[in-house]
Amino acid sequence: MTTPLIDRLAKTLPNIAPDRARRARERIGAAAFDAWGEEGAAFLDSVFAAAPYLARTAARRPDTLLQLATTPPETLIERLCETARDAATLEDEAEVRAVLRRAKLDLHLVTALADLAGAFSLKQVMGALTDFADAAVQASLASAARSYGVAVSDPLNPLPGYFVLTLGKHGTRSLNFSSDIDLVIAYEPEIIEAPEGKDPLKLFSRIAQKLSAIMQDVTADGYVFRVDLRLRPDPGSTPVAVSADMARYYFEALGQNWERAAYAKARVCAGDRAAGEGFLKDLTPFIWRRTMDFAAVEDIRSIAKQIQAVGKRAEVRAAGHDVKLGRGGIREIEFYAQCLQLVFGGRMPAVRAPATVDALSALAAHDLMDSDEADALIAYYVALRDVEHRIQMLEDEQTQTLPLQSETRRAVAALSGADDLSEFDARMTALFGAVHAAFSAQFDDGDSLATEAGSLVLTGVEPTPDTVETLDRLGFSQPDRVWERLAGWAAGRARAARTERARRLFSRFAPRLIEALAATGDPDAAFTRFSTFFEGLPSGVQPLSLLVNQPELARELIAMLGLAPRLAETLARRPALLDSLLDPAFTRPLSEDPPAYRIERFSGLEALDYEQALNAARRLAREEKLRIGGQLLLGRSRAQDAGQAYADLADASLGAMAQAALMEMSKRHGPPPGDWAVLGLGKLGGRELSATSDLDIMLVYEPGAEQSQGPRPLGAQTWFIRFTQRLVSALTAPTEEGELYEVDLALRPSGSAGPAAVSLSRFEDYYQTSEAWTWERMALTRSRIVVEGGLAARLDRAISTVIETAGPADTLKSDAANMRARLERDKPALSPWDMKMRAGGLIDIEFVAQIGQLVLNKRLGADTQGALDRLVEAQWLDKADGEALKSAHELYADLTQILRAAHGAAFDPGKASEPFARRLCQAAHCEDLGCAADALNVNAARVRSLFERYVGEVVFSATE
């Protein structure tokens, strides 16, 4: 808005002291009041009656008050900021000091009146103060450098390599009316050069001290801003201007959690901005840790509790209450937002917004807090900051405390538009109470060391009778042995509980642990698996902090451990995986994932170097596999959805690793000398992958040139072979984050005897001659193009041609039956639960679907279920037979997915935990495992019968 303030008076303030208002008029002069008109003059009377500092400022700067009657406040503020910026060019330090102080007085008067009139929002007020502070620091730095003999050629960067960071409210662009500013002054040793004859270390510190003095010395014109330099690393033993190298080392080796919280709000406000921003970028891993850091949250909680516990801050009332640090104050809302930021910010850069209001909005936008709660906290925050400003407008004092005396507090009420002090006090008390209720809901840590079932004492040399009774009541068959193990952990007899802090956290977690174990229905088995997890942890503070702070996560984790023994080992090796359970997407059903969800998760890898991309891909895939397996085990998603999700994940991983391999090859040997595509076969091609599936792939290319064009050119065949090898390495190589996938290239023409990459002409020749076996043509029915570089359409046509010219039906069937017989002889099923290899199992169904397509000379689909449907439509399969095969395939796939997610390839029903047995029976629509085994046998017999009808008799038996 560009109209003068007198046209934007949106608030009516009570005049609580007419005599004081009259005296203010006399000091200021009638001209200013006349220019404001009757309504505006009445507004000024009310302001100056309540705020002596503003009345004195107006008397000292009457021309500014007069201008404000006809000039929009935005225009005046921009002029004042420009005045401060121009001061950076002044040679005389005394002039710089005077210009900045007078401009600051004008700024205070303009922003206060615009705020009190209701013309400015809180954001505008804070923005005006912050913009001016930035300009003032820059001018003070330039003047300080000149005063010590630095030849300043660029006032915006007076000493290259020397920069000023601002933290706190200045850093977040949310200065209050009488804020001090927290500055950290540093220099890059590799860049900075001191003038000849100057001791660099002394010079850099003297410039910092001079900057501070220019800003905060009190002169006849007042001061600009109070300056605090104590947020630099180790302020008790470091100079006021610190080496950036020293600071990096300090934060890496000794940085504390409160410093992470402080530097999360840092930005460059003056000096060499490129150097400063580079320094802050280097601090990113320190501030925003990739793993969710609940240990840091514990420290912030402790700080909050200590602040609140000081004296009368712990009380909630209006008179004498600290609006910033007291219960229900501004700091509680700031802590509320920053705790969630520290937990999630490492993984979600979008929630790192420094300002509190922006942070709350970002957290709500990413479903990390309820949007209604965020809106309420934002409203509370604005109300508290408004009151804070009005407290400071009284006398420009650095205080946030509501006055204890009723008369002075009434002035704050009046500036807030309240005529009735008791009503204002009640409103403030209610506001403090609402804020503290929200804060307490997040920060309550009054954990009981008992369970709902009874006492749990983990000290002493033997369990108390009450503790034994509690464990027995919760279903543990050997309470004494369970207690012995729990007590050992509580005493530090596990790597994860060796520190005092970890033991303290475990004591808080233990009651929830045994309740969650009991809730699985088989507490003994669940405890065994939790023990594998816990005793395998390299350290315990981070995971225990997370489990203590997130009870729902603890329950979910223990439920999954009760279902899946292999999960305990995985999480013990990679405890950072626990973080993924807190992602809102973790509990979202797989069927509700947005299109291209997993591809988007991998999309940022292109900006990383090769090694970083490999590690990031492994982390993302591991998290997503945990999510898919968790959804499946907990019954939130169907096996079919899991198979598709695993395939989507494999597609995204292949795409990202192909891009990484392509960039490496292009960098060394030039871009690809032709078109190419990666073909997915088997379970990958059919989009039926499980938790333990490897990837069957084939890379096909068509040369477009004899050799590549790059620093070290390669012939086309060599280039694509090296590319394939690089891709396989990117997928399989064990990095510090482990492996991504196992890869099998055996389905390429000539298998392991052939080249790693296959030319399109060789591909076509191979499959259209007698070189190719029937099983190799069968494999192509399950193929699909996963990643491509221009060859997709031609390769797709070539595959269709192979299927359309597969050969005589009798030969195809006979070959398939013989192949199945050899598989039964050479790779017999491990048990009746081996639903892939057993007679009448998944392979039988897949062979029927594949042979049907070859016999019909039609490519009907890579997925088994879809192919069976189309074979029925083509009348090659009887409808009832097709339904029987599909029903068996669905049962096998459901059970296989669950078994692979929980146990891997091996499964012994005799050792299955009760929760897992229930989950397996649920998928089989049976009451117990015996019923499920019977269902498998019935389906297997039916499938084998249909296999022999449509394909042929299996000549060899599994025992022959």
Side-chain angles (χ1 to χ4, degrees):
M1 191 172 289
T2 56
T3 57
L5 197 54
I6 58 175
D7 297 326
R8 295 156 64 181
L9 297 176
K11 291 183 179 178
T12 301
L13 308 181
N15 187 338
I16 60 169
D19 288 345
R20 195 184 303 152
R22 177 179 50 76
R23 290 194 296 273
R25 277 195 183 221
E26 291 171 356
R27 289 195 301 272
I28 295 167
F33 284 86
D34 292 343
W36 275 71
E38 184 176 347
E39 182 183 1
F43 165 74
L44 294 177
D45 283 340
S46 297
V47 170
F48 298 148
Y53 167 69
L54 293 181
R56 293 195 300 272
T57 302
R60 296 178 67 180
R61 311 295 293 169
D63 290 345
T64 302
L65 186 62
L66 189 61
Q67 288 179 54
L68 195 54
T70 56
T71 306
E74 294 88 348
T75 302
L76 290 178
I77 288 169
E78 180 51 41
R79 289 177 189 170
L80 292 169
C81 290
E82 190 62 34
T83 297
R85 284 190 283 269
D86 290 344
T89 64
L90 299 175
E91 297 288 338
D92 183 12
E93 180 188 323
E95 187 178 1
V96 172
R97 288 172 176 252
V99 166
L100 291 180
R101 281 156 177 74
R102 291 165 190 163
K104 171 66 181 301
L105 286 172
D106 289 343
L107 180 85
H108 259 180
L109 185 61
V110 173
T111 54
L113 292 176
D115 182 6
L116 294 170
F120 270 18
S121 66
L122 173 65
K123 184 174 183 179
Q124 286 175 286
V125 173
M126 297 187 302
L129 294 165
T130 301
D131 288 344
F132 182 83
D134 285 356
V137 173
Q138 184 65 64
S140 298
L141 174 60
S143 181
R146 287 191 188 94
S147 71
Y148 284 103
V150 175
V152 176
S153 59
D154 180 2
L156 297 180
N157 185 11
L159 186 57
Y162 196 91
F163 57 88
V164 183
L165 304 179
T166 181
L167 289 74
K169 285 189 166 57
H170 187 198
T172 62
R173 298 191 54 78
S174 52
L175 278 178
N176 61 41
F177 195 73
S178 298
S179 281
D180 62 358
I181 56 176
D182 297 303
L183 301 181
V184 173
I185 301 174
Y187 58 88
E188 283 289 0
E190 298 293 325
I191 300 174
I192 199 165
E193 292 183 9
E196 189 174 348
K198 300 280 187 180
D199 181 311
L201 298 184
K202 288 182 180 178
L203 173 68
F204 302 153
S205 289
R206 285 171 179 169
I207 291 174
Q209 291 164 338
K210 175 65 75 173
L211 182 157
S212 178
I214 292 172
M215 292 285 287
Q216 68 180 357
D217 285 353
V218 179
T219 70
D221 293 311
Y223 68 100
V224 190
F225 285 96
R226 305 174 190 90
V227 175
D228 191 335
L229 300 176
R230 292 174 297 172
L231 289 183
R232 68 187 184 276
D234 195 10
S237 59
T238 55
V240 289
V242 297
S243 160
D245 285 345
M246 184 282 294
R248 290 186 188 93
Y249 172 79
Y250 170 85
F251 288 125
E252 181 179 343
L254 302 169
Q256 300 178 58
N257 284 320
W258 72 264
E259 289 171 310
R260 290 179 55 208
Y263 278 79
K265 300 179 179 182
R267 64 182 177 85
V268 186
C269 69
D272 191 331
R273 292 185 177 274
E277 286 164 6
F279 173 75
L280 288 178
K281 185 177 180 181
D282 291 342
L283 293 193
T284 300
F286 164 68
I287 300 168
W288 303 109
R289 294 177 182 167
R290 186 180 58 78
T291 54
M292 295 183 179
D293 196 354
F294 280 98
V297 175
E298 285 293 319
D299 284 352
I300 292 180
R301 283 182 169 175
S302 175
I303 295 169
K305 301 288 184 185
Q306 291 170 26
I307 289 172
Q308 292 177 333
V310 175
K312 294 193 174 183
R313 288 177 186 162
E315 302 173 13
V316 177
R317 75 261 188 264
H321 195 69
D322 192 321
V323 172
K324 177 181 179 181
L325 301 179
R327 287 201 176 193
I330 294 165
R331 183 57 53 85
E332 289 191 355
I333 302 176
E334 292 173 342
F335 276 169
Y336 189 109
Q338 195 154 29
C339 278
L340 290 173
Q341 286 182 297
L342 284 176
V343 172
F344 292 100
R347 294 161 53 86
M348 303 175 68
V351 303
R352 296 178 187 175
T356 300
V357 170
D358 295 339
L360 291 167
S361 297
L363 290 165
H366 288 80
D367 296 326
L368 299 177
M369 65 181 296
D370 184 78
S371 58
D372 291 340
E373 187 172 27
D375 291 343
L377 286 172
I378 289 170
Y380 300 155
Y381 181 79
V382 170
L384 289 170
R385 291 298 306 270
D386 280 346
V387 171
E388 178 188 40
H389 284 172
R390 280 143 185 77
I391 293 170
Q392 294 172 349
M393 287 174 189
L394 301 185
E395 291 293 354
D396 188 29
E397 292 177 340
Q398 192 181 0
T399 178
Q400 298 88 21
T401 302
L402 280 166
L404 196 60
Q405 298 79 11
S406 296
E407 181 180 348
T408 314
R409 194 166 70 260
R410 189 182 172 205
V412 178
L415 293 176
S416 301
D419 197 14
D420 187 326
L421 180 59
S422 60
E423 179 185 330
F424 174 77
D425 286 349
R427 191 172 81 216
M428 292 306 301
T429 302
L431 177 58
F432 297 140
V435 171
H436 189 63
F439 177 81
S440 298
Q442 188 192 50
F443 283 85
D444 180 29
D445 60 357
D447 297 291
S448 169
L449 297 184
T451 73
E452 291 185 6
S455 170
L456 181 69
V457 178
L458 299 180
T459 55
V461 294
E462 60 182 11
T464 66
D466 286 346
T467 296
V468 172
E469 185 179 342
T470 297
L471 292 170
D472 183 65
R473 190 179 295 123
L474 287 170
F476 293 92
S477 63
Q478 296 179 302
D480 287 359
R481 294 189 65 179
V482 171
W483 178 87
E484 184 179 351
R485 206 158 188 177
L486 289 170
W489 295 344
R493 289 192 290 275
R495 281 185 304 174
R498 282 180 181 166
T499 67
E500 175 61 31
R501 188 173 186 185
R503 292 193 290 275
R504 195 164 60 244
L505 287 164
F506 179 75
S507 295
R508 293 174 58 189
F509 174 57
R512 295 180 189 167
L513 169 63
I514 64 163
E515 287 177 339
L517 292 169
T520 66
D522 189 349
D524 290 328
F527 182 65
T528 298
R529 286 162 191 173
F530 182 82
S531 300
T532 301
F533 159 68
F534 188 71
E535 292 176 352
L537 290 173
S539 63
V541 170
Q542 288 284 38
L544 282 170
S545 296
L546 190 152
L547 293 169
V548 164
N549 282 277
Q550 295 290 328
E552 187 58 39
L553 180 146
R555 286 190 288 271
E556 192 117 305
L557 169 67
I558 291 162
M560 288 195 295
L561 291 177
L563 290 162
R566 68 189 293 266
L567 187 61
E569 298 168 6
T570 301
L571 286 172
R573 288 196 308 269
R574 303 282 182 181
L577 265 177
L578 291 174
D579 297 348
S580 63
L581 273 69
L582 286 179
D583 192 316
F586 191 87
T587 56
R588 182 181 63 218
L590 299 173
S591 59
E592 296 178 12
D593 285 342
Y597 165 70
R598 290 167 191 85
I599 290 174
E600 289 175 3
R601 288 202 70 190
F602 280 76
S603 61
L605 271 59
E606 293 180 8
L608 305 177
D609 67 31
Y610 184 71
E611 295 298 331
Q612 290 174 331
L614 265 59
N615 282 321
R618 283 151 174 75
R619 286 194 297 270
L620 287 171
R622 198 161 49 237
E623 290 172 3
E624 193 60 22
K625 285 180 181 178
L626 177 65
R627 177 187 172 229
I628 297 167
Q631 293 262 335
L632 183 64
L633 291 169
L634 296 173
R636 295 194 182 119
S637 291
R638 302 174 304 156
Q640 183 180 358
D641 293 331
Q644 291 178 354
Y646 282 126
D648 287 345
L649 177 61
D651 287 2
S653 301
L654 271 164
M657 294 300 91
Q659 182 63 31
L662 185 64
M663 289 173 66
E664 282 294 292
M665 287 294 296
S666 298
K667 187 164 54 178
R668 297 182 182 189
H669 306 294
D675 297 331
W676 58 275
V678 176
L679 203 58
L681 302 108
K683 297 289 187 186
L684 173 61
R687 302 182 62 79
E688 296 165 1
L689 291 176
S690 69
T692 58
S693 295
D694 59 8
L695 305 184
D696 292 303
I697 63 172
M698 183 193 308
L699 190 137
V700 184
Y701 69 94
E702 185 171 39
E706 289 187 5
Q707 65 176 24
S708 62
Q709 300 295 316
R712 287 181 281 173
L714 294 175
Q717 182 183 38
T718 304
W719 194 101
F720 283 106
I721 288 174
R722 294 263 188 96
F723 175 45
T724 304
Q725 292 166 339
R726 174 73 68 170
L727 171 59
V728 171
S729 175
L731 291 163
T732 62
T735 72
E736 63 192 66
E737 293 290 345
E739 298 177 355
L740 187 53
Y741 284 100
E742 291 183 13
V743 172
D744 193 341
L745 296 176
L747 292 179
R748 69 189 188 276
S750 303
S752 58
V758 183
S759 69
L760 182 61
S761 60
R762 169 61 178 155
F763 180 93
E764 292 171 329
D765 291 344
Y766 181 82
Y767 285 103
Q768 290 173 9
T769 66
S770 58
E771 274 192 89
W773 295 84
T774 295
W775 67 264
E776 292 178 297
R777 295 186 174 91
M778 290 168 62
L780 285 186
T781 66
R782 305 200 69 196
S783 66
R784 64 183 177 89
I785 294 167
V786 180
V787 189
E788 72 99 13
L791 193 61
R794 281 165 283 170
L795 179 57
D796 206 54
R797 286 195 298 271
I799 294 168
S800 296
T801 300
V802 171
I803 294 170
E804 290 164 5
T805 58
D810 290 345
T811 302
L812 294 170
K813 292 180 181 181
S814 174
D815 287 349
N818 288 334
M819 181 66 183
R820 184 68 185 99
R822 283 194 295 274
L823 284 172
E824 284 192 15
R825 180 190 62 191
D826 299 337
K827 295 183 178 180
L830 299 173
S831 76
W833 292 90
D834 186 349
M835 285 158 279
K836 176 182 178 182
M837 302 305 298
R838 69 172 290 175
L842 279 167
I843 286 185
D844 282 27
I845 301 172
E846 291 167 358
F847 272 30
V848 171
Q850 293 164 26
I851 283 297
Q853 295 181 68
L854 294 182
V855 168
L856 291 175
N857 301 136
K858 288 183 180 179
R859 192 177 177 195
L860 301 177
D863 67 301
T864 304
Q865 291 269 342
L868 291 172
D869 279 335
R870 294 179 189 95
L871 288 170
V872 170
E873 292 171 6
Q875 299 183 347
W876 188 80
L877 265 183
D878 179 78
K879 184 175 182 181
D881 294 343
E883 289 301 320
L885 290 171
K886 283 176 58 184
S887 176
H889 185 272
E890 184 173 347
L891 173 65
Y892 295 160
D894 285 355
L895 299 186
T896 298
Q897 286 284 10
I898 294 169
L899 286 171
R900 293 297 174 87
H903 288 264
F907 172 63
D908 181 353
K911 297 180 180 178
S913 68
E914 186 177 328
F916 183 72
R918 286 199 306 269
R919 177 68 185 101
L920 210 56
C921 292
Q922 178 191 28
H925 305 290
C926 287
E927 293 183 359
D928 54 43
L929 288 179
C931 166
D934 290 342
L936 289 178
N937 292 334
V938 168
N939 277 275
R942 185 185 305 135
V943 168
R944 176 47 61 93
S945 172
L946 292 173
F947 179 91
E948 293 183 341
R949 180 188 308 173
Y950 286 97
V951 180
E953 185 179 355
V954 179
V955 177
F956 300 106
S957 69
T959 58
E960 195 169 288

